[in-house]
Amino acid sequence: MKARLPWQAARYLGLTLLLGLSGCGWLQPCGEKNEAFDVFFGSDRYSTATYALKLGEAADIRSTITPESCRNDISFAVVGGSLPPGLKLDSGNLQGTPTLEGEYRFSLMIKKVEGYSSSFAVSSNPVVIRVGQNLVNTAGKCGRDVEVFDLFFGGSKGTSFLADLRVGQSVDLQSKVVPESCRQAMAFSVLGGVLPDGLSLSEGNIKGKVTQPGSFSFSLGITEVQGYSDYNSLAQNNKVVSNPIVLRIAP
């Protein structure tokens, strides 16, 4: 074998060590060194996650992955049962439209993580999905399985919210949304009045720069929540409306 010069040997040794560490899981494309991987459904890793799905209605059941940055690098498998026909795995989430009534029990298992050569056998908490024609769909994209939505400004839903502003003033009035995790899944509207010129709605908050003097009274309503078809089908007068909002704007 041809003798290597010292710098050649060092480079060869460094490359071999680099590849070896990668094979051992020390160099990986996601997560941190010595990362603990996990997957579960619902709000409690140690309780059974139960969902009701309406037959023929699209569902999107989200899992919690640790670390979230590794979601697309993880290979999953269904164990201990089967998914309802019509649902499929998509990066650890369950998506699709159920086509057959019944009760389905299973868990999700992490089989492999790209960049980690170690064996994995991490299973989620038990999952129960009931599919029926007359069931209420409880698998939303946000919040808990059974959710109460709310929206208000200030410290209390039971009192009006009053803000004194001036023309030219920058405004950022923050609302309280319940649950906060559903804010980005919600659509909001102005009810019973109009926003002053220069202000607009941004995820349930009121922002902008005031350009118009006067007194403006209105409320905000939650018109839609992604993933909650039963809420979305309610008549407008049965949906969540905030406390009254009064903006007094001086010149």
Side-chain angles (χ1 to χ4, degrees), residues 117-187:
S117 60
S118 304
S119 299
F120 290 89
V122 178
S123 292
S124 72
N125 51 336
V127 180
V128 177
I129 298 179
R130 300 186 180 96
V131 180
Q133 182 63 51
N134 299 317
L135 293 179
V136 174
N137 192 338
T138 62
K141 293 184 177 180
C142 63
R144 302 182 295 273
D145 297 346
V146 180
E147 195 59 71
V148 176
F149 300 117
D150 205 359
L151 166 68
F152 62 94
F153 284 78
S156 172
K157 176 69 179 278
T159 59
S160 297
F161 174 76
L162 173 63
D164 288 315
L165 308 170
R166 298 188 70 87
V167 170
Q169 179 178 344
S170 294
V171 174
D172 186 358
L173 301 176
Q174 300 286 314
S175 63
K176 305 289 195 308
V177 169
V178 178
E180 179 61 36
S181 60
C182 282
R183 183 182 290 273
Q184 293 184 348
M186 292 176 172

Side-chain angles (χ1 to χ4, degrees), residues 25-71:
W26 285 22
L27 296 177
Q28 61 276 349
C30 69
E32 300 291 338
K33 184 177 177 181
N34 300 322
E35 187 71 64
F37 294 94
D38 199 12
V39 55
F40 67 91
F41 288 85
S43 58
D44 183 1
R45 201 261 182 266
Y46 301 102
S47 299
T48 299
T50 302
Y51 301 93
L53 301 183
K54 189 172 183 178
L55 184 68
E57 187 171 287
D60 186 354
I61 302 176
R62 300 281 172 153
S63 63
T64 298
I65 301 293
T66 303
E68 177 63 33
S69 62
C70 283
R71 182 181 290 275

Side-chain angles (χ1 to χ4, degrees), residues 187-198:
F188 302 89
S189 63
V190 178
L191 305 173
V194 295
L195 290 175
D197 289 347

